[in-house]
Amino acid sequence: MKAFKISAPRKRGAVRGDIPLLVCVCLMVCFGCLMIYSASSYVGKVQYGDSLYFVKKQLIGAVAGGAVMAFFCFFPYRKLYKFRYAAVVIAAVLLVLVFVPGVGVTNYGATRWIGFGSFTIQPSEVAKYAFALFAAAYFAKNYRKVKTVRGVLPVLAVGALFCVLVILEPNMSITMCIGILMLALVFLSGTNLKTFAVVLVPCALAVPALIIAEPYRLERLSAFLDPWSSPLDEGYQLIQSLYALGNGGLFGVGLFNSTQKYRFLPFAESDFILSVMGEELGFLGLCVFFAACAFIVWRGFRIARRCSEPFGYLLAAGFTLVYGIQVVINALVVSGTIPPTGLPLPLISSGNTSLIITMASMGVLFNISRSGGEALPLAKEDGMPAVNNKNSAAV
């Protein structure tokens, strides 16, 4: 199986980077702030005495995310290879700190954050990108070993570690994201179908096992199959989401005119902000939004395909997959296609950790696009083999 094909190099002076990607990302962030104001103004006024409460927090995240994105736009992405082990260690430590009393923050029965005063971090958001970085670095250096299960074991071990720590929070949605990302990167690494099948089968069997292991997951599954059987309990959130989407119809009720955001729909500004968007902008508005999401994913994979060395290729593909997987899972949850699980809509939902980390990843994608498809080897001290720069080659 061919992992990727090296493109013909372009003249360095002609390379400007993927500007359309950055423009789309910035527009999405601005749109997200607008929708957060619409979805949260009432709750912010009633609960915090400030209709702009959530918007102000998001704007702080947007400014910080913009600064971090600008930094990574010009920080040579090849240097990230050196931080592959540090990224795993930092992410694992942060995930463990979630369970330390006085450090971990619990909301609605889940301990998913660590807090330092008024400042909170969601480590699982960091873990997704740390895993993508580690997997890209490992497969780039050990691409001759990916034909065997033993060859991909280090990546599977790190992925399994992160999945276990995240599911203990509990956070089924991020666990699914990391699991799908792990399988996708194993596939893109160039492994054969036999090895991929050996990896895929236990992962597929783990999903029903995780659902059965916790009673609350069985309750959510039951609510998913028939939400009206418990309209005031487990099925309430999904029913309210479907009401919002149904009320929006084809053209929507108009911006700021949602009725479900008046405390009928829980987490309207975060996990279920897509429902408010559907109500206010309608089916056509959501089509435009998903077209913008698809544009970001397309540009990300385009950058990966044009990259002439394995680390940049896999890193661009991994970061793009994280974004795409989250968008798809969030949309499936909101529409009642899969059982409800909390997951932010990247670049849109309220939440600074997700926003800053996602914008940083987009900066890395832009930096990879600036390489112009040139197969420049990593530094010798990194232990990376040089790539033969021909018009077409497979890793």
Side-chain angles (χ1 to χ4, degrees):
M1 183 187 301
K2 291 184 178 181
F4 71 99
K5 184 174 284 188
I6 294 177
S7 305
R10 292 173 288 177
K11 292 182 179 180
R12 195 166 188 81
V15 178
R16 298 176 55 191
D18 200 325
I19 300 296
L21 172 69
L22 290 188
V23 171
C24 187
V25 169
C26 292
L27 290 176
M28 291 282 269
V29 173
C30 293
F31 176 70
C33 291
L34 179 67
M35 291 310 306
I36 288 173
Y37 169 73
S38 177
S40 68
S41 57
Y42 177 77
V43 174
K45 183 68 174 178
V46 171
Q47 191 167 340
Y48 300 100
D50 183 2
S51 60
L52 298 176
Y53 176 80
F54 290 98
V55 179
K56 291 176 180 177
K57 291 182 63 177
Q58 193 74 358
L59 287 174
I60 294 174
V63 172
V68 175
M69 183 171 70
F71 171 79
F72 280 107
C73 280
F74 300 98
F75 181 82
Y77 76 89
R78 292 175 179 85
K79 291 186 178 181
L80 292 174
Y81 180 85
K82 300 178 182 179
F83 300 97
R84 60 196 185 280
Y85 297 123
V88 171
V89 172
I90 291 172
V93 169
L94 290 176
L95 287 171
V96 171
L97 285 177
V98 165
F99 306 104
V100 176
V103 179
V105 178
T106 302
N107 281 319
Y108 301 98
T111 307
R112 302 175 181 175
W113 304 265
I114 55 177
F116 305 95
S118 59
F119 180 73
T120 59
I121 299 176
Q122 189 171 357
S124 57
E125 293 291 335
V126 178
K128 292 179 299 183
Y129 291 98
F131 174 75
L133 171 59
F134 172 79
Y138 175 82
F139 285 138
K141 185 177 181 180
N142 302 280
Y143 59 85
R144 293 186 179 88
K145 300 180 180 179
V146 299
K147 303 298 182 182
T148 65
V149 175
R150 182 178 180 181
V152 300
L153 273 180
V155 171
L156 298 180
V158 173
L161 172 65
F162 284 178
C163 286
V164 169
L165 291 174
V166 172
I167 199 64
L168 290 175
E169 294 179 353
N171 193 333
M172 183 70 173
S173 55
I174 300 295
T175 304
M176 290 175 58
C177 282
I178 296 175
I180 295 172
L181 175 65
M182 178 177 66
L183 292 174
L185 287 176
V186 168
F187 179 80
L188 291 174
S189 70
T191 189
N192 55 48
L193 291 178
K194 180 180 178 180
T195 300
F196 182 71
V198 173
V199 175
L200 176 62
V201 171
C203 291
L205 294 176
V207 175
L210 290 174
I211 294 176
I212 296 173
E214 285 289 344
Y216 88 92
R217 295 191 191 114
L218 287 174
E219 293 175 357
R220 287 192 173 186
L221 178 60
S222 176
F224 159 71
L225 296 173
D226 183 15
W228 281 271
S229 64
S230 55
L232 298 179
D233 195 12
E234 288 295 331
Y236 177 80
Q237 192 172 35
L238 178 55
I239 290 175
Q240 298 304 317
S241 176
L242 295 177
Y243 280 160
L245 294 174
N247 191 37
L250 188 61
F251 299 103
V253 297
L255 191 61
F256 308 130
N257 293 327
S258 168
T259 57
Q260 291 301 107
K261 65 185 180 184
Y262 292 107
R263 309 197 82 171
F264 293 106
L265 177 64
F267 307 110
E269 76 286 346
S270 55
D271 297 345
F272 278 76
I273 195 170
L274 190 64
S275 303
V276 177
M277 290 165 55
E279 184 178 10
E280 296 188 349
L281 306 178
F283 176 76
L284 293 180
L286 288 184
C287 286
V288 174
F289 170 74
F290 285 125
C293 295
F295 179 80
I296 292 176
V297 172
W298 170 61
R299 301 301 290 197
F301 282 126
R302 182 173 179 265
I303 291 169
R305 181 178 61 84
R306 291 188 171 190
C307 188
S308 298
E309 49 88 14
F311 177 61
Y313 160 72
L314 289 168
L315 188 64
F319 283 5
T320 302
L321 281 166
V322 173
Y323 174 81
I325 291 169
Q326 274 202 229
V327 170
V328 170
I329 292 181
N330 183 273
L332 293 177
V333 167
V334 165
S335 61
T337 309
I338 62 175
T341 179
L343 184 70
L345 187 61
L347 300 177
I348 304 296
S349 291
S350 175
N352 283 349
T353 304
S354 174
L355 179 62
I356 294 172
I357 295 294
T358 303
M359 293 183 73
S361 72
M362 295 300 163
V364 174
L365 285 179
F366 178 81
N367 187 266
I368 296 174
S369 73
R370 291 182 70 237
S371 70
E374 296 185 31
L376 301 176
L378 289 166
K380 292 182 179 179
E381 61 268 22
D382 293 329
M384 284 293 297
V387 177
N388 187 20
N389 190 11
K390 297 180 179 179
N391 285 350
S392 65
V395 173

